[in-house]
Amino acid sequence: ARRVRDAWTIGAALLLAASVAALVVMQAGSIGTGAGFAAGIGVTLLGLWLAAWLVTRLVRRFNGAGLPYPARQGLANLHRPGNQTRVVVLALGFGVFLLATLYLTQGNLLRPLRINAAETRASLLIFDVQDDQQAGVSQQIASERGSVLQRAAIVPMRIHAINGKTTAQLVGAGPASSPGGEDGPPPERDAGEKRSGPEPWAVRREYRSTFRDTVNASEKVLEGRFWRPGQGGAVGNGPAEVSLDRTIVEDLDVKIGDVITWDVQGVRIPTRITSVREVDWQRLEPNFFAVFPSSVLEGAPHSWVLLARTPDAPSRARVQRDVVAKFPNVALLDLTQVQAAIDEVLGRVAAVIRFLAGFSVATGFIVLLGAVLTSRLQRIRESVLLRTLGATRRQIGAILLAEYLSLGLLASIAGIGLAAGAGWALAKFLFKVDFAVPLPSLLILALAVTALSGAVGWWASREVFRHTPLEALREE
């Protein structure tokens, strides 16, 4: 009966996983995404089953020397005939896995977007500021006890040629528009996609570039060297230096030492790639595909974008009002409102997923209840035997509590461990963000599930205490 019950439980779990994977394929429109999701669910179920199997083998060899008798007997119940370890760990551990994976993914996605973090602290984004307006805009910000944290020049340009080949020779004549628009993360490509030559969108698009002589905090140099202040300009008839982001280097199919000629509002500027940067596009601050030495583009027509910080919401509102009134061409964006909108949207999505994950945990507890009720007669006989041998009701209760606390702890550890692996894979390969594990929060989740498992298992086993040895012997 136990084997039939376990087979039905595992079969139902696999059927549920296959159904969910089919829904993912339909929604995502990608067989690869659905197959990856199904594989992840399969690995999770296999990992939970292996964890339960490994614990039963280890506990069978563990003599429990030094532990109180109820604890030893409770651990022995994990491997006794008719044990519930695999069923409960599969059902309860999968719910814990969903909750922990959601929490890890949400935290790692939101971390780079926190504009009030110490690395940015910016609350206003101000753009289309002209050279002669910088002082006035800065003065308005300072009047509200604010400060300008970062300035970046914006110079529009296009690529004229790469290594002597013009745009038309590289990708042919085509529309000038591009999917990238303003400088930002390029369109995603499939991991296995192969390309010969540059991406057409990367060659034809209009770039918003900048000039400066330092590397920002949101980027780091991967290859080559960044020029020193005052250097990097053209020497004689040679090209000037330029630094490109890693993603655009891949899309343009270029490397260190290649020459790119830029069309800056009708003026051709040849440059040689001398460094490749890794840019953190998740940070809400000015980031650029191409960075030029200051001496190369200072004379080109350009505007400025400013990142500023004000102490509170009323001061931000007054800065927006006064700057727009004095400089109508300047646009301001309240980054705190952007962050609030992002938090609200992600919060609603997370609430739905939390509900579904909580439902999975509740299903695990229902499975736990079913397992307890299924083994009711066997538990009554065991209780009678123990009480006949002199065990008290308190000792029997402690044995049951130790068993179900062990099951809850095992399910929590296995589920959270698998969730850490899934969260790392999602952060690295899908969302491409830094991965961190909030240990205190996950510890609270593990303790809560363990305590609930012990409480539910003990409550469902109350009937064991109501039978006297004589009643059980009469039933025999």
Side-chain angles (χ1 to χ4, degrees), residues 45-55:
L45 294 175
L46 179 61
L48 292 171
W49 187 88
L50 287 176
W53 176 82
L54 180 62
V55 167

Side-chain angles (χ1 to χ4, degrees), residues 179-188 201 205 245 247 251 280-282 289:
E182 299 289 337
D183 266 13
E188 292 290 337
W201 78 268
R205 65 164 288 161
D245 170 55
T247 55
D251 288 326
D280 183 3
W281 294 100
Q282 302 294 332
F289 285 138

Side-chain angles (χ1 to χ4, degrees), residues 149-236:
L149 302 178
Q150 188 176 346
R151 307 169 189 264
I154 306 291
V155 183
M157 61 182 65
R158 292 186 181 276
I159 291 178
H160 172 70
I162 299 178
N163 292 326
K165 293 184 178 181
T166 64
T167 300
Q169 292 173 330
L170 288 169
V171 296
S177 61
S178 65
E182 299 289 337
D183 266 13
E188 292 290 337
R189 298 189 303 270
D190 292 337
E193 181 181 349
K194 294 184 178 180
R195 181 186 71 253
S196 59
E199 290 279 4
W201 78 268
V203 176
R204 297 193 187 110
R205 65 164 288 161
E206 183 178 42
Y207 287 82
R208 302 289 191 269
S209 303
T210 193
F211 55 84
R212 49 181 159 82
D213 294 333
T214 56
V215 178
N216 279 349
S218 61
E219 57 191 15
K220 60 181 179 181
V221 176
L222 297 179
E223 300 178 50
R225 58 168 184 81
F226 202 84
W227 52 87
R228 296 179 180 178
Q231 299 181 359
V235 178

